[in-house]
Structure formats: structure tokens, C-alpha cells
Amino acid sequence: MEEEGFPAANASFSGSFGLLNPFGVPKPGYRLMQLLAGMGPTRLPVHFSAAASADTCTDTVGALAGRNATHVLVVLYNQAERTAPIRGCSVRLDLQRVGAKLEGKVTLWRIDEAHANPKARWEEIGAPQWPTAAENAEVMEASIMVPADVELSSLAGAGI
């Protein structure tokens, strides 16, 4: 693969190669790599089922889990091929089978349309060809994953 240098036109979120845009803003794939880096050395089996009309979820939903010395990380994802639609899915995850003792609160990290989505913020400010430092700071802020402590029971029935 070859990179062709700095683009003549702003290709900040064109879907092209790279985990950072030309202005140093982490794309969602970069944030996913951050999560995976904390997964730990021990992979755990994941058992889940996904349901939706026309069985589309079996093609787009997946999961993986790992354990380190302090926590278990379960990653659920719903991703389609480029230009293919992603539909909302209901997922049932058996957390007891991943060997985690779960009760009370868990930390939820999200990368979706409303979370860790710098492209949406870039478009909201007018998709500037060459963002100012202030505009780039806004887009950078929108790329950050914000953890949310949630009651485990509140996740029942939540879709991805």
C-alpha cells in the first residue's frame, strides 16, 4: 500500500487509509484499537445470539472478549461492509459464560453515531476544507470515547 501524501482537498473522513485524519484527529477505528489494547492477554469465549428481520444481524454482529489482571473487556460490534446498510439489532450476551462476575455497575464505552464520532461534528461545523485550530479542537473533542457507568440491569434489552 502506498500513501500519496497530503491531499489537495480535505479528505478528513473519506473512508481512506489511516487511523488518523490528515489533521491528527483519531477516527473510530483508532478508538477501537485503544479498547483492544486494554483487553489483556487472555481471550475468552463469547456466546451471544443476535436477531433481526431477514437475519441481517448474523452478517454484521460479532463479539470478542479478553481478561487482564483487573477486568474483563467484552467488545460487541455491528459493522457492515463499506456502503452496506447497518441495521439495529437485539443481542443477547451470556456474560456468565465469559467467566466474569458481574453485578451492579459496568463501564460502557460506545463508538456509534452519537459517541466517538468526529465525522458528525466535522459535518455539523460545515465540513471545512482546512479547519482552523478551534474547529479541529471541536472535531478532536468529538472523537473521544467517554466512559459511562451504567447499571448492568439497564442493559437488558439494549440493542446495538
Side-chain angles (χ1 to χ4, degrees), residues 75-112:
V75 176
L76 289 173
Y77 59 89
N78 187 1
Q79 180 175 350
E81 294 178 16
R82 193 172 181 182
T83 72
I86 297 176
R87 293 180 177 82
C89 300
S90 291
V91 176
R92 181 173 178 83
L93 178 65
D94 185 348
L95 294 172
Q96 299 306 319
R97 293 181 70 181
V98 298
K101 180 182 178 192
L102 298 172
E103 50 191 51
K105 292 188 178 189
V106 296
T107 303
L108 180 64
W109 301 84
R110 296 186 69 152
I111 302 171
D112 59 21

mmCIF file of all heavy atoms in Angstrom, residues 75-112:
data_model
loop_
_atom_site.group_PDB
_atom_site.id
_atom_site.type_symbol
_atom_site.label_atom_id
_atom_site.label_comp_id
_atom_site.label_asym_id
_atom_site.label_seq_id
_atom_site.Cartn_x
_atom_site.Cartn_y
_atom_site.Cartn_z
ATOM 1 N N VAL A 75 -16.238 -6.803 23.738
ATOM 2 C CA VAL A 75 -16.494 -5.890 22.628
ATOM 3 C C VAL A 75 -17.590 -6.493 21.766
ATOM 4 O O VAL A 75 -17.439 -7.594 21.239
ATOM 5 C CB VAL A 75 -15.220 -5.666 21.778
ATOM 6 C CG1 VAL A 75 -15.527 -4.790 20.571
ATOM 7 C CG2 VAL A 75 -14.110 -5.047 22.621
ATOM 8 N N LEU A 76 -18.709 -5.781 21.672
ATOM 9 C CA LEU A 76 -19.788 -6.139 20.749
ATOM 10 C C LEU A 76 -19.724 -5.155 19.601
ATOM 11 O O LEU A 76 -19.560 -3.956 19.825
ATOM 12 C CB LEU A 76 -21.155 -6.014 21.418
ATOM 13 C CG LEU A 76 -21.513 -7.035 22.465
ATOM 14 C CD1 LEU A 76 -22.825 -6.653 23.131
ATOM 15 C CD2 LEU A 76 -21.640 -8.401 21.838
ATOM 16 N N TYR A 77 -19.850 -5.639 18.398
ATOM 17 C CA TYR A 77 -19.824 -4.722 17.269
ATOM 18 C C TYR A 77 -20.895 -5.085 16.250
ATOM 19 O O TYR A 77 -21.333 -6.214 16.156
ATOM 20 C CB TYR A 77 -18.441 -4.690 16.608
ATOM 21 C CG TYR A 77 -17.964 -6.027 16.098
ATOM 22 C CD1 TYR A 77 -18.265 -6.444 14.801
ATOM 23 C CD2 TYR A 77 -17.209 -6.866 16.904
ATOM 24 C CE1 TYR A 77 -17.824 -7.675 14.336
ATOM 25 C CE2 TYR A 77 -16.771 -8.085 16.439
ATOM 26 C CZ TYR A 77 -17.075 -8.490 15.157
ATOM 27 O OH TYR A 77 -16.645 -9.701 14.704
ATOM 28 N N ASN A 78 -21.304 -4.062 15.526
ATOM 29 C CA ASN A 78 -22.282 -4.202 14.465
ATOM 30 C C ASN A 78 -21.738 -3.404 13.301
ATOM 31 O O ASN A 78 -21.865 -2.185 13.261
ATOM 32 C CB ASN A 78 -23.644 -3.669 14.916
ATOM 33 C CG ASN A 78 -24.743 -3.943 13.906
ATOM 34 O OD1 ASN A 78 -24.511 -4.542 12.862
ATOM 35 N ND2 ASN A 78 -25.940 -3.494 14.216
ATOM 36 N N GLN A 79 -21.069 -4.074 12.395
ATOM 37 C CA GLN A 79 -20.384 -3.388 11.305
ATOM 38 C C GLN A 79 -20.635 -4.115 9.997
ATOM 39 O O GLN A 79 -20.495 -5.332 9.917
ATOM 40 C CB GLN A 79 -18.883 -3.314 11.578
ATOM 41 C CG GLN A 79 -18.130 -2.608 10.487
ATOM 42 C CD GLN A 79 -16.672 -2.428 10.818
ATOM 43 O OE1 GLN A 79 -16.230 -2.657 11.927
ATOM 44 N NE2 GLN A 79 -15.918 -2.011 9.841
ATOM 45 N N ALA A 80 -20.975 -3.356 8.989
ATOM 46 C CA ALA A 80 -21.196 -3.916 7.656
ATOM 47 C C ALA A 80 -20.051 -3.503 6.743
ATOM 48 O O ALA A 80 -19.242 -2.636 7.078
ATOM 49 C CB ALA A 80 -22.519 -3.416 7.084
ATOM 50 N N GLU A 81 -20.019 -4.102 5.580
ATOM 51 C CA GLU A 81 -19.037 -3.696 4.588
ATOM 52 C C GLU A 81 -19.328 -2.273 4.158
ATOM 53 O O GLU A 81 -20.452 -1.786 4.279
ATOM 54 C CB GLU A 81 -19.107 -4.629 3.374
ATOM 55 C CG GLU A 81 -18.691 -6.045 3.688
ATOM 56 C CD GLU A 81 -18.811 -6.957 2.475
ATOM 57 O OE1 GLU A 81 -18.916 -6.456 1.336
ATOM 58 O OE2 GLU A 81 -18.777 -8.174 2.678
ATOM 59 N N ARG A 82 -18.315 -1.616 3.631
ATOM 60 C CA ARG A 82 -18.458 -0.233 3.194
ATOM 61 C C ARG A 82 -19.639 -0.104 2.227
ATOM 62 O O ARG A 82 -19.784 -0.917 1.333
ATOM 63 C CB ARG A 82 -17.164 0.210 2.526
ATOM 64 C CG ARG A 82 -17.079 1.675 2.317
ATOM 65 C CD ARG A 82 -15.702 2.030 1.835
ATOM 66 N NE ARG A 82 -15.612 3.463 1.663
ATOM 67 C CZ ARG A 82 -14.555 4.072 1.213
ATOM 68 N NH1 ARG A 82 -13.486 3.387 0.888
ATOM 69 N NH2 ARG A 82 -14.545 5.369 1.082
ATOM 70 N N THR A 83 -20.453 0.879 2.437
ATOM 71 C CA THR A 83 -21.671 1.212 1.683
ATOM 72 C C THR A 83 -22.840 0.271 1.962
ATOM 73 O O THR A 83 -23.932 0.511 1.487
ATOM 74 C CB THR A 83 -21.450 1.296 0.147
ATOM 75 O OG1 THR A 83 -21.246 -0.003 -0.387
ATOM 76 C CG2 THR A 83 -20.287 2.214 -0.204
ATOM 77 N N ALA A 84 -22.654 -0.793 2.714
ATOM 78 C CA ALA A 84 -23.763 -1.694 3.050
ATOM 79 C C ALA A 84 -24.497 -1.132 4.272
ATOM 80 O O ALA A 84 -23.882 -0.518 5.140
ATOM 81 C CB ALA A 84 -23.253 -3.098 3.337
ATOM 82 N N PRO A 85 -25.798 -1.351 4.361
ATOM 83 C CA PRO A 85 -26.552 -0.811 5.497
ATOM 84 C C PRO A 85 -26.262 -1.578 6.792
ATOM 85 O O PRO A 85 -25.973 -2.769 6.766
ATOM 86 C CB PRO A 85 -28.010 -1.010 5.081
ATOM 87 C CG PRO A 85 -27.980 -2.163 4.141
ATOM 88 C CD PRO A 85 -26.653 -2.070 3.418
ATOM 89 N N ILE A 86 -26.336 -0.850 7.883
ATOM 90 C CA ILE A 86 -26.246 -1.458 9.212
ATOM 91 C C ILE A 86 -27.605 -1.267 9.854
ATOM 92 O O ILE A 86 -28.100 -0.152 9.948
ATOM 93 C CB ILE A 86 -25.162 -0.801 10.082
ATOM 94 C CG1 ILE A 86 -23.789 -0.990 9.456
ATOM 95 C CG2 ILE A 86 -25.196 -1.370 11.495
ATOM 96 C CD1 ILE A 86 -22.675 -0.280 10.209
ATOM 97 N N ARG A 87 -28.192 -2.350 10.285
ATOM 98 C CA ARG A 87 -29.495 -2.279 10.942
ATOM 99 C C ARG A 87 -29.314 -2.479 12.446
ATOM 100 O O ARG A 87 -28.418 -3.192 12.876
ATOM 101 C CB ARG A 87 -30.405 -3.356 10.372
ATOM 102 C CG ARG A 87 -30.760 -3.086 8.919
ATOM 103 C CD ARG A 87 -31.666 -4.177 8.359
ATOM 104 N NE ARG A 87 -32.062 -3.884 7.010
ATOM 105 C CZ ARG A 87 -31.327 -4.134 5.935
ATOM 106 N NH1 ARG A 87 -30.128 -4.653 6.061
ATOM 107 N NH2 ARG A 87 -31.770 -3.856 4.727
ATOM 108 N N GLY A 88 -30.202 -1.858 13.199
ATOM 109 C CA GLY A 88 -30.193 -2.073 14.633
ATOM 110 C C GLY A 88 -30.522 -3.523 14.946
ATOM 111 O O GLY A 88 -31.337 -4.143 14.276
ATOM 112 N N CYS A 89 -29.867 -4.075 15.931
ATOM 113 C CA CYS A 89 -30.039 -5.485 16.272
ATOM 114 C C CYS A 89 -30.211 -5.641 17.776
ATOM 115 O O CYS A 89 -29.623 -4.900 18.544
ATOM 116 C CB CYS A 89 -28.808 -6.292 15.852
ATOM 117 S SG CYS A 89 -28.460 -6.248 14.099
ATOM 118 N N SER A 90 -30.978 -6.625 18.168
ATOM 119 C CA SER A 90 -31.042 -7.021 19.565
ATOM 120 C C SER A 90 -30.052 -8.156 19.758
ATOM 121 O O SER A 90 -30.044 -9.111 18.988
ATOM 122 C CB SER A 90 -32.446 -7.511 19.927
ATOM 123 O OG SER A 90 -33.344 -6.443 19.917
ATOM 124 N N VAL A 91 -29.220 -8.013 20.775
ATOM 125 C CA VAL A 91 -28.184 -9.005 21.038
ATOM 126 C C VAL A 91 -28.360 -9.528 22.451
ATOM 127 O O VAL A 91 -28.565 -8.754 23.384
ATOM 128 C CB VAL A 91 -26.780 -8.385 20.879
ATOM 129 C CG1 VAL A 91 -25.698 -9.370 21.243
ATOM 130 C CG2 VAL A 91 -26.580 -7.865 19.465
ATOM 131 N N ARG A 92 -28.264 -10.819 22.598
ATOM 132 C CA ARG A 92 -28.299 -11.437 23.925
ATOM 133 C C ARG A 92 -26.921 -12.014 24.174
ATOM 134 O O ARG A 92 -26.459 -12.877 23.438
ATOM 135 C CB ARG A 92 -29.359 -12.521 23.986
ATOM 136 C CG ARG A 92 -29.452 -13.162 25.347
ATOM 137 C CD ARG A 92 -30.638 -14.121 25.412
ATOM 138 N NE ARG A 92 -30.689 -14.768 26.684
ATOM 139 C CZ ARG A 92 -31.233 -14.250 27.781
ATOM 140 N NH1 ARG A 92 -31.774 -13.062 27.732
ATOM 141 N NH2 ARG A 92 -31.247 -14.915 28.910
ATOM 142 N N LEU A 93 -26.263 -11.510 25.211
ATOM 143 C CA LEU A 93 -24.905 -11.921 25.550
ATOM 144 C C LEU A 93 -24.930 -12.617 26.897
ATOM 145 O O LEU A 93 -25.451 -12.078 27.873
ATOM 146 C CB LEU A 93 -23.993 -10.689 25.608
ATOM 147 C CG LEU A 93 -22.545 -10.897 25.983
ATOM 148 C CD1 LEU A 93 -21.830 -11.716 24.923
ATOM 149 C CD2 LEU A 93 -21.867 -9.553 26.170
ATOM 150 N N ASP A 94 -24.393 -13.818 26.945
ATOM 151 C CA ASP A 94 -24.321 -14.567 28.192
ATOM 152 C C ASP A 94 -23.002 -14.227 28.871
ATOM 153 O O ASP A 94 -21.974 -14.828 28.586
ATOM 154 C CB ASP A 94 -24.434 -16.071 27.914
ATOM 155 C CG ASP A 94 -24.490 -16.894 29.185
ATOM 156 O OD1 ASP A 94 -24.215 -16.353 30.269
ATOM 157 O OD2 ASP A 94 -24.805 -18.086 29.077
ATOM 158 N N LEU A 95 -23.031 -13.218 29.750
ATOM 159 C CA LEU A 95 -21.803 -12.751 30.387
ATOM 160 C C LEU A 95 -21.254 -13.738 31.413
ATOM 161 O O LEU A 95 -20.059 -13.738 31.684
ATOM 162 C CB LEU A 95 -22.053 -11.392 31.044
ATOM 163 C CG LEU A 95 -22.367 -10.264 30.060
ATOM 164 C CD1 LEU A 95 -22.795 -9.021 30.801
ATOM 165 C CD2 LEU A 95 -21.164 -9.971 29.191
ATOM 166 N N GLN A 96 -22.088 -14.554 31.985
ATOM 167 C CA GLN A 96 -21.584 -15.532 32.950
ATOM 168 C C GLN A 96 -20.654 -16.526 32.273
ATOM 169 O O GLN A 96 -19.710 -17.026 32.877
ATOM 170 C CB GLN A 96 -22.738 -16.264 33.638
ATOM 171 C CG GLN A 96 -23.660 -15.349 34.418
ATOM 172 C CD GLN A 96 -22.932 -14.488 35.438
ATOM 173 O OE1 GLN A 96 -22.027 -14.945 36.114
ATOM 174 N NE2 GLN A 96 -23.321 -13.233 35.536
ATOM 175 N N ARG A 97 -20.897 -16.807 31.008
ATOM 176 C CA ARG A 97 -20.076 -17.789 30.303
ATOM 177 C C ARG A 97 -18.717 -17.249 29.901
ATOM 178 O O ARG A 97 -17.854 -17.999 29.502
ATOM 179 C CB ARG A 97 -20.827 -18.323 29.087
ATOM 180 C CG ARG A 97 -22.035 -19.148 29.525
ATOM 181 C CD ARG A 97 -22.788 -19.698 28.382
ATOM 182 N NE ARG A 97 -22.046 -20.741 27.696
ATOM 183 C CZ ARG A 97 -22.489 -21.382 26.624
ATOM 184 N NH1 ARG A 97 -23.665 -21.094 26.127
ATOM 185 N NH2 ARG A 97 -21.765 -22.307 26.057
ATOM 186 N N VAL A 98 -18.502 -15.927 29.991
ATOM 187 C CA VAL A 98 -17.166 -15.400 29.720
ATOM 188 C C VAL A 98 -16.327 -15.390 30.996
ATOM 189 O O VAL A 98 -15.206 -14.919 31.005
ATOM 190 C CB VAL A 98 -17.176 -13.990 29.074
ATOM 191 C CG1 VAL A 98 -17.850 -14.002 27.745
ATOM 192 C CG2 VAL A 98 -17.758 -12.953 29.998
ATOM 193 N N GLY A 99 -16.873 -15.910 32.064
ATOM 194 C CA GLY A 99 -16.117 -16.034 33.301
ATOM 195 C C GLY A 99 -16.053 -14.761 34.119
ATOM 196 O O GLY A 99 -15.182 -14.598 34.948
ATOM 197 N N ALA A 100 -16.962 -13.844 33.880
ATOM 198 C CA ALA A 100 -16.943 -12.583 34.604
ATOM 199 C C ALA A 100 -17.974 -12.598 35.721
ATOM 200 O O ALA A 100 -19.091 -13.032 35.519
ATOM 201 C CB ALA A 100 -17.251 -11.435 33.641
ATOM 202 N N LYS A 101 -17.563 -12.126 36.879
ATOM 203 C CA LYS A 101 -18.511 -11.955 37.969
ATOM 204 C C LYS A 101 -19.053 -10.538 37.833
ATOM 205 O O LYS A 101 -18.362 -9.564 38.099
ATOM 206 C CB LYS A 101 -17.829 -12.133 39.323
ATOM 207 C CG LYS A 101 -18.778 -11.959 40.478
ATOM 208 C CD LYS A 101 -18.071 -12.089 41.804
ATOM 209 C CE LYS A 101 -19.084 -11.855 42.911
ATOM 210 N NZ LYS A 101 -18.426 -11.699 44.192
ATOM 211 N N LEU A 102 -20.257 -10.445 37.373
ATOM 212 C CA LEU A 102 -20.826 -9.142 37.083
ATOM 213 C C LEU A 102 -22.031 -8.872 37.966
ATOM 214 O O LEU A 102 -22.943 -9.676 38.063
ATOM 215 C CB LEU A 102 -21.258 -9.065 35.614
ATOM 216 C CG LEU A 102 -20.131 -9.221 34.619
ATOM 217 C CD1 LEU A 102 -20.691 -9.333 33.223
ATOM 218 C CD2 LEU A 102 -19.189 -8.043 34.704
ATOM 219 N N GLU A 103 -21.989 -7.725 38.605
ATOM 220 C CA GLU A 103 -23.122 -7.278 39.391
ATOM 221 C C GLU A 103 -23.001 -5.776 39.543
ATOM 222 O O GLU A 103 -21.912 -5.214 39.406
ATOM 223 C CB GLU A 103 -23.152 -7.962 40.758
ATOM 224 C CG GLU A 103 -21.846 -7.897 41.502
ATOM 225 C CD GLU A 103 -21.819 -8.808 42.716
ATOM 226 O OE1 GLU A 103 -22.141 -9.988 42.592
ATOM 227 O OE2 GLU A 103 -21.490 -8.302 43.781
ATOM 228 N N GLY A 104 -24.107 -5.134 39.760
ATOM 229 C CA GLY A 104 -24.076 -3.688 39.952
ATOM 230 C C GLY A 104 -23.791 -2.940 38.668
ATOM 231 O O GLY A 104 -24.512 -3.059 37.699
ATOM 232 N N LYS A 105 -22.699 -2.171 38.669
ATOM 233 C CA LYS A 105 -22.388 -1.302 37.547
ATOM 234 C C LYS A 105 -21.281 -1.888 36.661
ATOM 235 O O LYS A 105 -20.397 -2.589 37.127
ATOM 236 C CB LYS A 105 -21.951 0.065 38.049
ATOM 237 C CG LYS A 105 -23.081 0.830 38.695
ATOM 238 C CD LYS A 105 -22.682 2.239 39.010
ATOM 239 C CE LYS A 105 -23.885 2.956 39.609
ATOM 240 N NZ LYS A 105 -23.651 4.365 39.756
ATOM 241 N N VAL A 106 -21.381 -1.540 35.395
ATOM 242 C CA VAL A 106 -20.328 -1.852 34.432
ATOM 243 C C VAL A 106 -19.999 -0.545 33.708
ATOM 244 O O VAL A 106 -20.777 0.406 33.719
ATOM 245 C CB VAL A 106 -20.758 -2.937 33.411
ATOM 246 C CG1 VAL A 106 -21.017 -4.259 34.104
ATOM 247 C CG2 VAL A 106 -21.962 -2.503 32.606
ATOM 248 N N THR A 107 -18.824 -0.506 33.098
ATOM 249 C CA THR A 107 -18.437 0.658 32.309
ATOM 250 C C THR A 107 -18.739 0.382 30.853
ATOM 251 O O THR A 107 -18.317 -0.640 30.318
ATOM 252 C CB THR A 107 -16.944 0.980 32.509
ATOM 253 O OG1 THR A 107 -16.697 1.186 33.894
ATOM 254 C CG2 THR A 107 -16.547 2.227 31.732
ATOM 255 N N LEU A 108 -19.464 1.287 30.242
ATOM 256 C CA LEU A 108 -19.859 1.153 28.847
ATOM 257 C C LEU A 108 -19.093 2.181 28.029
ATOM 258 O O LEU A 108 -19.105 3.371 28.332
ATOM 259 C CB LEU A 108 -21.362 1.386 28.726
ATOM 260 C CG LEU A 108 -21.991 1.292 27.350
ATOM 261 C CD1 LEU A 108 -21.867 -0.128 26.807
ATOM 262 C CD2 LEU A 108 -23.452 1.707 27.420
ATOM 263 N N TRP A 109 -18.395 1.701 27.010
ATOM 264 C CA TRP A 109 -17.694 2.556 26.054
ATOM 265 C C TRP A 109 -18.413 2.387 24.726
ATOM 266 O O TRP A 109 -18.624 1.261 24.294
ATOM 267 C CB TRP A 109 -16.247 2.118 25.892
ATOM 268 C CG TRP A 109 -15.437 2.134 27.148
ATOM 269 C CD1 TRP A 109 -15.375 1.147 28.089
ATOM 270 C CD2 TRP A 109 -14.580 3.162 27.596
ATOM 271 N NE1 TRP A 109 -14.528 1.506 29.096
ATOM 272 C CE2 TRP A 109 -14.013 2.751 28.814
ATOM 273 C CE3 TRP A 109 -14.226 4.415 27.080
ATOM 274 C CZ2 TRP A 109 -13.123 3.530 29.521
ATOM 275 C CZ3 TRP A 109 -13.316 5.185 27.788
ATOM 276 C CH2 TRP A 109 -12.785 4.748 29.002
ATOM 277 N N ARG A 110 -18.768 3.471 24.077
ATOM 278 C CA ARG A 110 -19.526 3.373 22.827
ATOM 279 C C ARG A 110 -18.815 4.109 21.701
ATOM 280 O O ARG A 110 -18.275 5.196 21.897
ATOM 281 C CB ARG A 110 -20.921 3.948 22.991
ATOM 282 C CG ARG A 110 -21.755 3.152 23.990
ATOM 283 C CD ARG A 110 -23.148 3.648 24.034
ATOM 284 N NE ARG A 110 -23.780 3.298 22.770
ATOM 285 C CZ ARG A 110 -25.076 3.090 22.626
ATOM 286 N NH1 ARG A 110 -25.871 3.197 23.663
ATOM 287 N NH2 ARG A 110 -25.585 2.780 21.465
ATOM 288 N N ILE A 111 -18.869 3.500 20.533
ATOM 289 C CA ILE A 111 -18.446 4.134 19.292
ATOM 290 C C ILE A 111 -19.615 3.925 18.340
ATOM 291 O O ILE A 111 -19.862 2.806 17.896
ATOM 292 C CB ILE A 111 -17.162 3.492 18.723
ATOM 293 C CG1 ILE A 111 -16.018 3.558 19.732
ATOM 294 C CG2 ILE A 111 -16.775 4.162 17.403
ATOM 295 C CD1 ILE A 111 -14.786 2.753 19.326
ATOM 296 N N ASP A 112 -20.366 4.981 18.095
ATOM 297 C CA ASP A 112 -21.530 4.878 17.222
ATOM 298 C C ASP A 112 -21.872 6.261 16.675
ATOM 299 O O ASP A 112 -21.050 7.183 16.766
ATOM 300 C CB ASP A 112 -22.711 4.227 17.946
ATOM 301 C CG ASP A 112 -23.161 4.981 19.188
ATOM 302 O OD1 ASP A 112 -22.867 6.190 19.326
ATOM 303 O OD2 ASP A 112 -23.842 4.379 20.039
#
